[in-house]
Amino acid sequence: MKESMIDATHDPRRQSWVESANGHPDFPIQNLPFVIFSARDGTPRGGVAIGDEILDLRQACAAGLFSGDVADAAEAAGGPQLNPLFALGAKPRQALRAALSDLLAADGHARTRVQPMAPVLLHKLADCRLHLPARIGDYTDFFAGIHHATNTGRMLRPDSPLPPNYKHMPIGYHGRASTVVPSGAPIQRPSGQRKPSSETEPSFGPSRYLDYELELGAFIGPGNARGTPIPITEAEDHIAGLCLLNDWSARDIQAWEFQPLGPFLAKSFATTISPVVVTPEALAPFRIPQPERPDGDPRPLDYLVSTSLDCAFEITLEVLIHTAGLKEQGKPPQRLARSNARHLYWTIGQMITHHACGGCNLEPGDLIGTGTISAPTADGLGSLLELTRGGREPVTLASGETRRFLEDGDEVIMRASCTRDGFVSIGFGECRGQIVAELTSETGR
């Protein structure tokens, strides 16, 4: 745990004058994640989620609630995208967090000045639309969940499921930034070439084996100049915040197209993220040492060896499904898996360092996916590909329906939370998407 990063903003006794924040499962005052939202006027701008409300940073700046460097950071966070805030780095973000915590605290110095302004400063979260937090210039998805990599690899290479480079470096592929969408956006079933082993020739059509992937996303803060690597000792300084991420996958299209260059149409059609950015500061109490590698695993090369004692995260993740049958029977979404970020073989810092080691320049707002985070147990498999063993063993739902892969109308919901004794739990909101046959003016956004 990053003891040096824990301060008054994490105090479990701290309450907010925003009553809905006290005991809120995701957004208590100890979290304060950043969002881009639009209210009734339809203008996207920056805010902070607090309980069932959003604090409008544009209005807070206009009211003169910040001064000095904090005012500059608030202005950067109050615009239509969070890229300017991400570019400032950790210290301005930390100062803004401390000021926000004081503004919103029930016993804060600014309460008497700020609370009367609540009608102007606060918007009901349920009445707002949340947008992508940043302009995502580039998106890279890694393959750092070793249990997922082993499970899927075993389907193709039973005797040697992991590729020979897996334990030596973080493996990744360059995704499609233009199709990253916020939670709630509908997901059109993609079309492409498919060639199952039972057919002699490929055919073109909608994917028959549509799947989800349970991941975390990391937004890049300050970037690096092209040709200038990011040392592992500085990698965490480039993390602006985390979100949930679902890298939707068309498994049949992927199986036919991925040799020799990896995923293309099978993943470029959509990636959904939760639209709140949980900062490294909020996550400080939930940092853990990187889990020890099993005996016999190679030591990482020196450029990937972190000196940080707490470079991993204790974050519980779950994925649920809500089908037409469950809805018709009045049943809630059914949980399919529960996993934890501790099961990542590589840390986000190692991913960043490896990404930049060849001279690639990362920019504020770039997005990194961790890869599917599966647990080592059967109740923690982060994709249907694993859960149904490639579709051979369908899962039976509480409605009586069965699923090998996703069907039109199915809604996938991902959630995440951080819990530790002595601290207030925080969450990430939802990462939600519903499968549709095609996008229309009614479904598309």
Side-chain angles (χ1 to χ4, degrees):
M1 180 187 63
K2 291 280 188 183
E3 299 286 358
S4 61
M5 293 175 61
I6 294 177
D7 55 28
T9 65
H10 304 99
D11 188 341
R13 298 167 297 181
R14 179 164 286 194
Q15 299 278 291
S16 176
W17 53 263
V18 181
E19 293 294 337
S20 63
N22 303 321
H24 196 279
D26 285 321
F27 309 133
I29 194 172
Q30 289 80 7
N31 192 349
L32 303 178
F34 292 100
V35 299
I36 295 296
F37 75 101
S38 55
R40 292 180 180 178
D41 62 4
T43 302
R45 55 196 184 270
V48 172
I50 176 73
D52 294 332
E53 311 275 351
I54 295 177
L55 175 72
D56 190 327
L57 286 172
R58 186 180 66 177
Q59 290 292 344
C61 290
L65 296 180
F66 307 107
S67 61
D69 293 342
V70 173
D72 293 339
E75 289 282 356
Q81 298 170 332
L82 291 175
N83 301 68
L85 175 68
F86 293 169
L88 293 178
K91 289 185 178 180
R93 188 181 64 236
Q94 292 164 0
L96 177 57
R97 171 184 166 82
L100 287 166
S101 183
D102 185 59
L103 286 176
L104 293 166
D107 60 352
H109 299 298
R111 173 181 174 173
T112 56
R113 183 164 59 101
V114 177
Q115 191 172 4
M117 302 175 62
V120 176
L121 294 178
L122 296 179
H123 303 267
K124 287 289 184 184
L125 182 56
D127 295 336
C128 295
R129 178 180 172 185
L130 298 185
H131 304 268
L132 287 178
R135 179 189 59 79
I136 301 170
D138 275 302
Y139 162 51
T140 302
D141 193 43
F142 282 87
F143 195 41
I146 191 168
H147 302 298
H148 172 74
T150 301
N151 294 336
T152 56
R154 190 173 284 126
M155 297 176 190
L156 301 173
R157 303 174 297 275
D159 297 329
S160 182
L162 293 176
N165 59 356
Y166 188 89
K167 294 184 177 181
H168 292 275
M169 65 179 181
I171 300 171
Y173 81 94
H174 191 209
R176 183 71 186 175
S178 65
T179 51
V180 178
V181 297
S183 177
I187 305 301
Q188 177 175 298
R189 182 177 296 273
S191 291
Q193 287 196 24
R194 314 149 306 182
K195 186 190 174 299
S197 58
S198 59
E199 299 177 8
T200 58
E201 297 293 331
S203 61
F204 180 87
S207 171
R208 301 161 179 154
Y209 301 160
L210 190 56
D211 201 358
Y212 56 79
E213 292 189 336
L214 178 62
E215 306 189 25
L216 284 172
F219 281 102
I220 295 296
N224 60 303
R226 186 167 66 90
T228 304
I230 297 174
I232 190 66
T233 54
E234 300 174 11
E236 292 187 13
D237 296 336
H238 294 264
I239 301 174
L242 302 188
C243 64
L244 274 166
L245 187 149
N246 180 354
D247 198 33
W248 303 91
S249 299
R251 301 299 186 186
D252 46 351
I253 296 173
Q254 184 177 1
W256 174 236
E257 74 176 5
F258 83 104
Q259 298 287 1
L261 296 179
F264 186 42
L265 299 184
K267 289 178 177 286
S268 64
F269 62 98
T271 299
T272 301
I273 63 171
S274 56
V276 300
V277 180
V278 180
T279 64
E281 293 72 48
L283 292 167
F286 312 104
R287 301 293 291 265
I288 59 173
Q290 185 177 16
E292 291 188 13
R293 294 188 167 195
D295 292 341
D297 279 14
R299 180 183 183 275
L301 297 180
D302 288 346
Y303 78 103
L304 291 172
V305 176
S306 175
T307 57
S308 173
L309 297 179
D310 302 290
C311 53
F313 296 96
E314 180 78 32
I315 302 173
T316 299
L317 308 106
E318 61 179 5
V319 57
L320 306 95
I321 190 170
H322 212 191
T323 64
L326 289 169
K327 294 175 183 178
E328 288 170 2
Q329 297 177 25
K331 297 183 185 298
Q334 181 169 333
R335 189 170 72 195
L336 297 176
R338 186 181 178 91
S339 186
N340 195 290
R342 64 165 53 244
H343 299 308
L344 289 168
Y345 192 78
W346 297 98
T347 68
I348 293 173
Q350 287 172 321
M351 297 176 211
I352 289 173
T353 287
H354 183 66
H355 201 322
C357 72
C360 174
N361 55 305
L362 307 181
E363 298 182 345
D366 284 356
L367 181 65
I368 284 179
T370 59
T372 307
I373 306 175
S374 291
T377 53
D379 60 354
L381 303 178
S383 67
L384 282 174
L385 182 67
E386 300 167 84
L387 186 61
T388 68
R389 297 184 181 273
R392 294 186 295 274
E393 300 178 11
V395 60
T396 300
L397 304 177
S399 59
E401 300 167 283
T402 60
R403 287 292 184 273
R404 297 186 308 128
F405 292 98
L406 297 173
E407 297 185 6
D408 291 351
D410 289 350
E411 189 170 26
V412 176
I413 305 157
M414 295 179 179
R415 298 171 181 154
S417 61
C418 302
T419 303
R420 180 179 173 226
D421 288 344
F423 291 90
V424 173
S425 299
I426 65 173
F428 286 68
E430 288 188 338
C431 179
R432 179 187 291 256
Q434 185 171 19
I435 307 302
V436 297
E438 60 179 346
L439 294 178
T440 65
S441 57
E442 288 75 31
T443 62
R445 292 198 292 180

